[in-house]
PDB file of all heavy atoms in Angstrom:
ATOM      1  N   ASP A   1       6.758  13.246 -14.862  1.00 95.00           N
ATOM      2  CA  ASP A   1       5.543  13.482 -14.110  1.00 95.00           C
ATOM      3  C   ASP A   1       4.624  12.262 -14.137  1.00 95.00           C
ATOM      4  O   ASP A   1       4.899  11.268 -14.813  1.00 95.00           O
ATOM      5  CB  ASP A   1       4.809  14.702 -14.697  1.00 95.00           C
ATOM      6  CG  ASP A   1       5.579  15.988 -14.508  1.00 95.00           C
ATOM      7  OD1 ASP A   1       6.432  16.019 -13.598  1.00 95.00           O
ATOM      8  OD2 ASP A   1       5.349  16.943 -15.264  1.00 95.00           O
ATOM      9  N   GLY A   2       3.528  12.373 -13.414  1.00 97.00           N
ATOM     10  CA  GLY A   2       2.566  11.298 -13.369  1.00 97.00           C
ATOM     11  C   GLY A   2       2.647  10.484 -12.101  1.00 97.00           C
ATOM     12  O   GLY A   2       3.450  10.781 -11.199  1.00 97.00           O
ATOM     13  N   ARG A   3       1.830   9.454 -12.033  1.00 98.00           N
ATOM     14  CA  ARG A   3       1.732   8.588 -10.863  1.00 98.00           C
ATOM     15  C   ARG A   3       2.469   7.276 -11.110  1.00 98.00           C
ATOM     16  O   ARG A   3       2.246   6.608 -12.122  1.00 98.00           O
ATOM     17  CB  ARG A   3       0.264   8.303 -10.531  1.00 98.00           C
ATOM     18  CG  ARG A   3      -0.490   9.505  -9.988  1.00 98.00           C
ATOM     19  CD  ARG A   3      -1.985   9.280  -9.975  1.00 98.00           C
ATOM     20  NE  ARG A   3      -2.389   8.022  -9.437  1.00 98.00           N
ATOM     21  CZ  ARG A   3      -3.030   7.865  -8.245  1.00 98.00           C
ATOM     22  NH1 ARG A   3      -3.303   8.927  -7.507  1.00 98.00           N
ATOM     23  NH2 ARG A   3      -3.410   6.676  -7.842  1.00 98.00           N
ATOM     24  N   VAL A   4       3.330   6.914 -10.157  1.00 98.00           N
ATOM     25  CA  VAL A   4       4.102   5.683 -10.257  1.00 98.00           C
ATOM     26  C   VAL A   4       4.074   4.957  -8.906  1.00 98.00           C
ATOM     27  O   VAL A   4       4.445   5.566  -7.882  1.00 98.00           O
ATOM     28  CB  VAL A   4       5.582   5.968 -10.643  1.00 98.00           C
ATOM     29  CG1 VAL A   4       6.305   4.634 -10.892  1.00 98.00           C
ATOM     30  CG2 VAL A   4       5.670   6.855 -11.857  1.00 98.00           C
ATOM     31  N   TRP A   5       3.660   3.714  -8.914  1.00 98.00           N
ATOM     32  CA  TRP A   5       3.796   2.873  -7.739  1.00 98.00           C
ATOM     33  C   TRP A   5       5.164   2.226  -7.759  1.00 98.00           C
ATOM     34  O   TRP A   5       5.594   1.672  -8.772  1.00 98.00           O
ATOM     35  CB  TRP A   5       2.707   1.796  -7.731  1.00 98.00           C
ATOM     36  CG  TRP A   5       1.330   2.343  -7.514  1.00 98.00           C
ATOM     37  CD1 TRP A   5       0.475   2.771  -8.496  1.00 98.00           C
ATOM     38  CD2 TRP A   5       0.675   2.535  -6.276  1.00 98.00           C
ATOM     39  NE1 TRP A   5      -0.686   3.211  -7.922  1.00 98.00           N
ATOM     40  CE2 TRP A   5      -0.607   3.090  -6.559  1.00 98.00           C
ATOM     41  CE3 TRP A   5       1.009   2.298  -4.947  1.00 98.00           C
ATOM     42  CZ2 TRP A   5      -1.511   3.403  -5.551  1.00 98.00           C
ATOM     43  CZ3 TRP A   5       0.108   2.595  -3.933  1.00 98.00           C
ATOM     44  CH2 TRP A   5      -1.149   3.152  -4.259  1.00 98.00           C
ATOM     45  N   ILE A   6       5.884   2.319  -6.625  1.00 98.00           N
ATOM     46  CA  ILE A   6       7.240   1.792  -6.539  1.00 98.00           C
ATOM     47  C   ILE A   6       7.241   0.688  -5.499  1.00 98.00           C
ATOM     48  O   ILE A   6       6.885   0.914  -4.331  1.00 98.00           O
ATOM     49  CB  ILE A   6       8.235   2.904  -6.172  1.00 98.00           C
ATOM     50  CG1 ILE A   6       8.174   4.007  -7.243  1.00 98.00           C
ATOM     51  CG2 ILE A   6       9.653   2.341  -6.068  1.00 98.00           C
ATOM     52  CD1 ILE A   6       8.985   5.244  -6.883  1.00 98.00           C
ATOM     53  N   VAL A   7       7.628  -0.518  -5.903  1.00 98.00           N
ATOM     54  CA  VAL A   7       7.475  -1.684  -5.042  1.00 98.00           C
ATOM     55  C   VAL A   7       8.797  -2.429  -4.907  1.00 98.00           C
ATOM     56  O   VAL A   7       9.464  -2.765  -5.899  1.00 98.00           O
ATOM     57  CB  VAL A   7       6.425  -2.654  -5.642  1.00 98.00           C
ATOM     58  CG1 VAL A   7       6.294  -3.902  -4.768  1.00 98.00           C
ATOM     59  CG2 VAL A   7       5.072  -1.971  -5.796  1.00 98.00           C
ATOM     60  N   ASP A   8       9.188  -2.662  -3.661  1.00 97.00           N
ATOM     61  CA  ASP A   8      10.255  -3.614  -3.351  1.00 97.00           C
ATOM     62  C   ASP A   8       9.582  -4.788  -2.674  1.00 97.00           C
ATOM     63  O   ASP A   8       9.178  -4.686  -1.505  1.00 97.00           O
ATOM     64  CB  ASP A   8      11.298  -2.970  -2.436  1.00 97.00           C
ATOM     65  CG  ASP A   8      12.526  -3.860  -2.246  1.00 97.00           C
ATOM     66  OD1 ASP A   8      12.442  -5.062  -2.569  1.00 97.00           O
ATOM     67  OD2 ASP A   8      13.560  -3.368  -1.758  1.00 97.00           O
ATOM     68  N   PRO A   9       9.405  -5.894  -3.378  1.00 97.00           N
ATOM     69  CA  PRO A   9       8.590  -6.990  -2.818  1.00 97.00           C
ATOM     70  C   PRO A   9       9.142  -7.571  -1.510  1.00 97.00           C
ATOM     71  O   PRO A   9       8.372  -7.850  -0.585  1.00 97.00           O
ATOM     72  CB  PRO A   9       8.558  -8.016  -3.943  1.00 97.00           C
ATOM     73  CG  PRO A   9       9.728  -7.688  -4.807  1.00 97.00           C
ATOM     74  CD  PRO A   9       9.902  -6.202  -4.714  1.00 97.00           C
ATOM     75  N   ILE A  10      10.446  -7.765  -1.463  1.00 97.00           N
ATOM     76  CA  ILE A  10      11.112  -8.180  -0.220  1.00 97.00           C
ATOM     77  C   ILE A  10      12.366  -7.339  -0.086  1.00 97.00           C
ATOM     78  O   ILE A  10      13.364  -7.571  -0.766  1.00 97.00           O
ATOM     79  CB  ILE A  10      11.492  -9.684  -0.235  1.00 97.00           C
ATOM     80  CG1 ILE A  10      10.260 -10.589  -0.362  1.00 97.00           C
ATOM     81  CG2 ILE A  10      12.285 -10.033   1.043  1.00 97.00           C
ATOM     82  CD1 ILE A  10       9.426 -10.708   0.889  1.00 97.00           C
ATOM     83  N   ASP A  11      12.318  -6.360   0.793  1.00 96.00           N
ATOM     84  CA  ASP A  11      13.545  -5.636   1.122  1.00 96.00           C
ATOM     85  C   ASP A  11      14.263  -6.436   2.185  1.00 96.00           C
ATOM     86  O   ASP A  11      13.662  -6.906   3.146  1.00 96.00           O
ATOM     87  CB  ASP A  11      13.187  -4.243   1.679  1.00 96.00           C
ATOM     88  CG  ASP A  11      14.416  -3.372   1.872  1.00 96.00           C
ATOM     89  OD1 ASP A  11      15.175  -3.204   0.892  1.00 96.00           O
ATOM     90  OD2 ASP A  11      14.628  -2.903   3.000  1.00 96.00           O
ATOM     91  N   ALA A  12      15.583  -6.605   2.014  1.00 94.00           N
ATOM     92  CA  ALA A  12      16.410  -7.482   2.852  1.00 94.00           C
ATOM     93  C   ALA A  12      16.168  -8.939   2.488  1.00 94.00           C
ATOM     94  O   ALA A  12      15.920  -9.788   3.358  1.00 94.00           O
ATOM     95  CB  ALA A  12      16.173  -7.241   4.339  1.00 94.00           C
ATOM     96  N   THR A  13      16.264  -9.251   1.203  1.00 93.00           N
ATOM     97  CA  THR A  13      16.091 -10.620   0.743  1.00 93.00           C
ATOM     98  C   THR A  13      17.118 -11.564   1.383  1.00 93.00           C
ATOM     99  O   THR A  13      16.799 -12.720   1.676  1.00 93.00           O
ATOM    100  CB  THR A  13      16.199 -10.696  -0.790  1.00 93.00           C
ATOM    101  OG1 THR A  13      15.149  -9.936  -1.377  1.00 93.00           O
ATOM    102  CG2 THR A  13      16.096 -12.132  -1.291  1.00 93.00           C
ATOM    103  N   ALA A  14      18.348 -11.089   1.608  1.00 91.00           N
ATOM    104  CA  ALA A  14      19.359 -11.925   2.243  1.00 91.00           C
ATOM    105  C   ALA A  14      18.930 -12.336   3.638  1.00 91.00           C
ATOM    106  O   ALA A  14      19.150 -13.491   4.051  1.00 91.00           O
ATOM    107  CB  ALA A  14      20.690 -11.197   2.278  1.00 91.00           C
ATOM    108  N   ASN A  15      18.299 -11.437   4.376  1.00 94.00           N
ATOM    109  CA  ASN A  15      17.763 -11.795   5.684  1.00 94.00           C
ATOM    110  C   ASN A  15      16.660 -12.833   5.540  1.00 94.00           C
ATOM    111  O   ASN A  15      16.618 -13.828   6.280  1.00 94.00           O
ATOM    112  CB  ASN A  15      17.192 -10.558   6.386  1.00 94.00           C
ATOM    113  CG  ASN A  15      18.264  -9.656   6.953  1.00 94.00           C
ATOM    114  OD1 ASN A  15      19.440  -9.972   6.950  1.00 94.00           O
ATOM    115  ND2 ASN A  15      17.831  -8.491   7.421  1.00 94.00           N
ATOM    116  N   PHE A  16      15.741 -12.554   4.620  1.00 94.00           N
ATOM    117  CA  PHE A  16      14.617 -13.488   4.382  1.00 94.00           C
ATOM    118  C   PHE A  16      15.127 -14.898   4.113  1.00 94.00           C
ATOM    119  O   PHE A  16      14.636 -15.882   4.656  1.00 94.00           O
ATOM    120  CB  PHE A  16      13.803 -12.971   3.203  1.00 94.00           C
ATOM    121  CG  PHE A  16      12.586 -13.782   2.874  1.00 94.00           C
ATOM    122  CD1 PHE A  16      11.337 -13.441   3.411  1.00 94.00           C
ATOM    123  CD2 PHE A  16      12.656 -14.873   2.011  1.00 94.00           C
ATOM    124  CE1 PHE A  16      10.211 -14.211   3.106  1.00 94.00           C
ATOM    125  CE2 PHE A  16      11.539 -15.625   1.688  1.00 94.00           C
ATOM    126  CZ  PHE A  16      10.319 -15.284   2.247  1.00 94.00           C
ATOM    127  N   ALA A  17      16.148 -14.999   3.249  1.00 92.00           N
ATOM    128  CA  ALA A  17      16.670 -16.289   2.835  1.00 92.00           C
ATOM    129  C   ALA A  17      17.333 -17.025   3.992  1.00 92.00           C
ATOM    130  O   ALA A  17      17.357 -18.260   4.016  1.00 92.00           O
ATOM    131  CB  ALA A  17      17.661 -16.113   1.695  1.00 92.00           C
ATOM    132  N   ARG A  18      17.892 -16.288   4.968  1.00 93.00           N
ATOM    133  CA  ARG A  18      18.568 -16.905   6.098  1.00 93.00           C
ATOM    134  C   ARG A  18      17.684 -17.061   7.322  1.00 93.00           C
ATOM    135  O   ARG A  18      18.161 -17.441   8.393  1.00 93.00           O
ATOM    136  CB  ARG A  18      19.790 -16.071   6.469  1.00 93.00           C
ATOM    137  CG  ARG A  18      20.915 -16.034   5.418  1.00 93.00           C
ATOM    138  CD  ARG A  18      21.544 -17.411   5.207  1.00 93.00           C
ATOM    139  NE  ARG A  18      22.153 -17.925   6.423  1.00 93.00           N
ATOM    140  CZ  ARG A  18      23.434 -17.691   6.789  1.00 93.00           C
ATOM    141  NH1 ARG A  18      24.207 -16.933   6.026  1.00 93.00           N
ATOM    142  NH2 ARG A  18      23.911 -18.209   7.890  1.00 93.00           N
ATOM    143  N   GLY A  19      16.407 -16.763   7.210  1.00 94.00           N
ATOM    144  CA  GLY A  19      15.499 -16.945   8.333  1.00 94.00           C
ATOM    145  C   GLY A  19      15.561 -15.836   9.344  1.00 94.00           C
ATOM    146  O   GLY A  19      15.099 -15.973  10.470  1.00 94.00           O
ATOM    147  N   ILE A  20      16.106 -14.663   8.974  1.00 95.00           N
ATOM    148  CA  ILE A  20      16.178 -13.513   9.861  1.00 95.00           C
ATOM    149  C   ILE A  20      14.912 -12.675   9.651  1.00 95.00           C
ATOM    150  O   ILE A  20      14.596 -12.314   8.509  1.00 95.00           O
ATOM    151  CB  ILE A  20      17.447 -12.664   9.579  1.00 95.00           C
ATOM    152  CG1 ILE A  20      18.691 -13.513   9.786  1.00 95.00           C
ATOM    153  CG2 ILE A  20      17.463 -11.408  10.444  1.00 95.00           C
ATOM    154  CD1 ILE A  20      19.971 -12.857   9.300  1.00 95.00           C
ATOM    155  N   PRO A  21      14.156 -12.347  10.689  1.00 97.00           N
ATOM    156  CA  PRO A  21      12.860 -11.727  10.516  1.00 97.00           C
ATOM    157  C   PRO A  21      12.859 -10.269  10.103  1.00 97.00           C
ATOM    158  O   PRO A  21      11.795  -9.678   9.918  1.00 97.00           O
ATOM    159  CB  PRO A  21      12.182 -11.884  11.879  1.00 97.00           C
ATOM    160  CG  PRO A  21      13.319 -11.955  12.849  1.00 97.00           C
ATOM    161  CD  PRO A  21      14.415 -12.680  12.126  1.00 97.00           C
ATOM    162  N   VAL A  22      14.038  -9.663   9.928  1.00 97.00           N
ATOM    163  CA  VAL A  22      14.112  -8.263   9.521  1.00 97.00           C
ATOM    164  C   VAL A  22      14.043  -8.163   7.999  1.00 97.00           C
ATOM    165  O   VAL A  22      15.065  -8.106   7.308  1.00 97.00           O
ATOM    166  CB  VAL A  22      15.390  -7.582  10.059  1.00 97.00           C
ATOM    167  CG1 VAL A  22      15.398  -6.098   9.699  1.00 97.00           C
ATOM    168  CG2 VAL A  22      15.485  -7.742  11.571  1.00 97.00           C
ATOM    169  N   TRP A  23      12.830  -8.190   7.463  1.00 97.00           N
ATOM    170  CA  TRP A  23      12.565  -8.029   6.052  1.00 97.00           C
ATOM    171  C   TRP A  23      11.197  -7.397   5.919  1.00 97.00           C
ATOM    172  O   TRP A  23      10.376  -7.476   6.829  1.00 97.00           O
ATOM    173  CB  TRP A  23      12.642  -9.349   5.278  1.00 97.00           C
ATOM    174  CG  TRP A  23      11.744 -10.440   5.779  1.00 97.00           C
ATOM    175  CD1 TRP A  23      12.027 -11.370   6.731  1.00 97.00           C
ATOM    176  CD2 TRP A  23      10.385 -10.703   5.375  1.00 97.00           C
ATOM    177  NE1 TRP A  23      10.945 -12.203   6.934  1.00 97.00           N
ATOM    178  CE2 TRP A  23       9.911 -11.826   6.135  1.00 97.00           C
ATOM    179  CE3 TRP A  23       9.517 -10.098   4.454  1.00 97.00           C
ATOM    180  CZ2 TRP A  23       8.627 -12.348   6.007  1.00 97.00           C
ATOM    181  CZ3 TRP A  23       8.233 -10.640   4.312  1.00 97.00           C
ATOM    182  CH2 TRP A  23       7.794 -11.728   5.074  1.00 97.00           C
ATOM    183  N   ALA A  24      10.923  -6.783   4.779  1.00 98.00           N
ATOM    184  CA  ALA A  24       9.661  -6.063   4.622  1.00 98.00           C
ATOM    185  C   ALA A  24       9.307  -5.914   3.154  1.00 98.00           C
ATOM    186  O   ALA A  24      10.173  -5.944   2.278  1.00 98.00           O
ATOM    187  CB  ALA A  24       9.719  -4.689   5.287  1.00 98.00           C
ATOM    188  N   THR A  25       8.014  -5.702   2.917  1.00 98.00           N
ATOM    189  CA  THR A  25       7.535  -5.248   1.603  1.00 98.00           C
ATOM    190  C   THR A  25       7.407  -3.735   1.649  1.00 98.00           C
ATOM    191  O   THR A  25       6.795  -3.207   2.585  1.00 98.00           O
ATOM    192  CB  THR A  25       6.183  -5.893   1.263  1.00 98.00           C
ATOM    193  OG1 THR A  25       6.364  -7.323   1.146  1.00 98.00           O
ATOM    194  CG2 THR A  25       5.648  -5.346  -0.045  1.00 98.00           C
ATOM    195  N   LEU A  26       7.993  -3.067   0.689  1.00 98.00           N
ATOM    196  CA  LEU A  26       7.979  -1.601   0.628  1.00 98.00           C
ATOM    197  C   LEU A  26       7.077  -1.162  -0.537  1.00 98.00           C
ATOM    198  O   LEU A  26       7.283  -1.599  -1.669  1.00 98.00           O
ATOM    199  CB  LEU A  26       9.378  -1.038   0.428  1.00 98.00           C
ATOM    200  CG  LEU A  26      10.497  -1.579   1.311  1.00 98.00           C
ATOM    201  CD1 LEU A  26      11.796  -0.821   1.026  1.00 98.00           C
ATOM    202  CD2 LEU A  26      10.134  -1.527   2.769  1.00 98.00           C
ATOM    203  N   ILE A  27       6.112  -0.303  -0.237  1.00 98.00           N
ATOM    204  CA  ILE A  27       5.188   0.198  -1.253  1.00 98.00           C
ATOM    205  C   ILE A  27       5.155   1.721  -1.185  1.00 98.00           C
ATOM    206  O   ILE A  27       4.942   2.296  -0.100  1.00 98.00           O
ATOM    207  CB  ILE A  27       3.781  -0.349  -1.012  1.00 98.00           C
ATOM    208  CG1 ILE A  27       3.787  -1.886  -1.002  1.00 98.00           C
ATOM    209  CG2 ILE A  27       2.788   0.175  -2.067  1.00 98.00           C
ATOM    210  CD1 ILE A  27       2.489  -2.493  -0.471  1.00 98.00           C
ATOM    211  N   ALA A  28       5.371   2.357  -2.301  1.00 98.00           N
ATOM    212  CA  ALA A  28       5.337   3.829  -2.355  1.00 98.00           C
ATOM    213  C   ALA A  28       4.519   4.272  -3.558  1.00 98.00           C
ATOM    214  O   ALA A  28       4.434   3.562  -4.576  1.00 98.00           O
ATOM    215  CB  ALA A  28       6.744   4.402  -2.463  1.00 98.00           C
ATOM    216  N   LEU A  29       3.913   5.459  -3.431  1.00 98.00           N
ATOM    217  CA  LEU A  29       3.290   6.115  -4.561  1.00 98.00           C
ATOM    218  C   LEU A  29       4.013   7.420  -4.784  1.00 98.00           C
ATOM    219  O   LEU A  29       4.099   8.263  -3.872  1.00 98.00           O
ATOM    220  CB  LEU A  29       1.806   6.376  -4.288  1.00 98.00           C
ATOM    221  CG  LEU A  29       1.080   7.208  -5.382  1.00 98.00           C
ATOM    222  CD1 LEU A  29       1.083   6.451  -6.708  1.00 98.00           C
ATOM    223  CD2 LEU A  29      -0.357   7.545  -4.951  1.00 98.00           C
ATOM    224  N   GLN A  30       4.538   7.582  -5.984  1.00 98.00           N
ATOM    225  CA  GLN A  30       5.213   8.799  -6.381  1.00 98.00           C
ATOM    226  C   GLN A  30       4.316   9.569  -7.342  1.00 98.00           C
ATOM    227  O   GLN A  30       3.800   9.000  -8.308  1.00 98.00           O
ATOM    228  CB  GLN A  30       6.542   8.457  -7.054  1.00 98.00           C
ATOM    229  CG  GLN A  30       7.308   9.642  -7.612  1.00 98.00           C
ATOM    230  CD  GLN A  30       8.590   9.205  -8.282  1.00 98.00           C
ATOM    231  OE1 GLN A  30       9.550   8.821  -7.616  1.00 98.00           O
ATOM    232  NE2 GLN A  30       8.633   9.271  -9.614  1.00 98.00           N
ATOM    233  N   VAL A  31       4.129  10.862  -7.083  1.00 98.00           N
ATOM    234  CA  VAL A  31       3.319  11.707  -7.946  1.00 98.00           C
ATOM    235  C   VAL A  31       4.174  12.888  -8.405  1.00 98.00           C
ATOM    236  O   VAL A  31       4.688  13.656  -7.597  1.00 98.00           O
ATOM    237  CB  VAL A  31       2.065  12.208  -7.198  1.00 98.00           C
ATOM    238  CG1 VAL A  31       1.261  13.142  -8.112  1.00 98.00           C
ATOM    239  CG2 VAL A  31       1.185  11.052  -6.754  1.00 98.00           C
ATOM    240  N   ASP A  32       4.334  13.005  -9.705  1.00 97.00           N
ATOM    241  CA  ASP A  32       5.147  14.072 -10.307  1.00 97.00           C
ATOM    242  C   ASP A  32       6.526  14.151  -9.671  1.00 97.00           C
ATOM    243  O   ASP A  32       7.034  15.236  -9.355  1.00 97.00           O
ATOM    244  CB  ASP A  32       4.416  15.421 -10.170  1.00 97.00           C
ATOM    245  CG  ASP A  32       3.091  15.441 -10.924  1.00 97.00           C
ATOM    246  OD1 ASP A  32       2.950  14.649 -11.887  1.00 97.00           O
ATOM    247  OD2 ASP A  32       2.206  16.213 -10.545  1.00 97.00           O
ATOM    248  N   GLY A  33       7.135  13.013  -9.477  1.00 95.00           N
ATOM    249  CA  GLY A  33       8.498  12.925  -8.989  1.00 95.00           C
ATOM    250  C   GLY A  33       8.665  12.946  -7.485  1.00 95.00           C
ATOM    251  O   GLY A  33       9.778  12.788  -6.986  1.00 95.00           O
ATOM    252  N   GLU A  34       7.568  13.121  -6.722  1.00 95.00           N
ATOM    253  CA  GLU A  34       7.659  13.175  -5.261  1.00 95.00           C
ATOM    254  C   GLU A  34       6.925  12.007  -4.612  1.00 95.00           C
ATOM    255  O   GLU A  34       5.765  11.735  -4.959  1.00 95.00           O
ATOM    256  CB  GLU A  34       7.054  14.488  -4.744  1.00 95.00           C
ATOM    257  CG  GLU A  34       7.941  15.705  -4.947  1.00 95.00           C
ATOM    258  CD  GLU A  34       9.220  15.608  -4.118  1.00 95.00           C
ATOM    259  OE1 GLU A  34       9.161  15.197  -2.942  1.00 95.00           O
ATOM    260  OE2 GLU A  34      10.267  15.958  -4.667  1.00 95.00           O
ATOM    261  N   PRO A  35       7.557  11.298  -3.672  1.00 96.00           N
ATOM    262  CA  PRO A  35       6.859  10.235  -2.961  1.00 96.00           C
ATOM    263  C   PRO A  35       5.842  10.823  -2.002  1.00 96.00           C
ATOM    264  O   PRO A  35       6.196  11.613  -1.114  1.00 96.00           O
ATOM    265  CB  PRO A  35       7.983   9.517  -2.217  1.00 96.00           C
ATOM    266  CG  PRO A  35       9.074  10.536  -2.054  1.00 96.00           C
ATOM    267  CD  PRO A  35       8.978  11.456  -3.243  1.00 96.00           C
ATOM    268  N   VAL A  36       4.591  10.465  -2.167  1.00 98.00           N
ATOM    269  CA  VAL A  36       3.522  11.044  -1.351  1.00 98.00           C
ATOM    270  C   VAL A  36       2.899  10.010  -0.408  1.00 98.00           C
ATOM    271  O   VAL A  36       2.111  10.368   0.476  1.00 98.00           O
ATOM    272  CB  VAL A  36       2.419  11.669  -2.222  1.00 98.00           C
ATOM    273  CG1 VAL A  36       2.985  12.796  -3.069  1.00 98.00           C
ATOM    274  CG2 VAL A  36       1.751  10.600  -3.102  1.00 98.00           C
ATOM    275  N   LEU A  37       3.235   8.758  -0.589  1.00 98.00           N
ATOM    276  CA  LEU A  37       2.696   7.689   0.254  1.00 98.00           C
ATOM    277  C   LEU A  37       3.795   6.656   0.458  1.00 98.00           C
ATOM    278  O   LEU A  37       4.495   6.299  -0.497  1.00 98.00           O
ATOM    279  CB  LEU A  37       1.472   7.058  -0.410  1.00 98.00           C
ATOM    280  CG  LEU A  37       0.770   5.874   0.269  1.00 98.00           C
ATOM    281  CD1 LEU A  37      -0.689   5.806  -0.195  1.00 98.00           C
ATOM    282  CD2 LEU A  37       1.449   4.527  -0.012  1.00 98.00           C
TER     283      LEU A  37
END
């Protein structure tokens, strides 16, 4: 239980490294086991 921020700083790092624009930062807030944001 509790609040957890879950972060993937660069999703699709392989794309990022090769200059492919399909990459993103992913940010989630999980509360008591459920992602709410």
Side-chain angles (χ1 to χ4, degrees):
D1 294 338
R3 290 167 47 110
V4 187
W5 292 88
I6 302 172
V7 179
D8 187 345
I10 299 285
D11 187 56
T13 298
N15 284 353
F16 182 93
R18 293 295 299 271
I20 299 170
V22 183
W23 56 271
T25 295
L26 313 184
I27 303 167
L29 175 63
Q30 176 181 288
V31 178
D32 297 335
E34 284 294 318
V36 299
L37 178 156

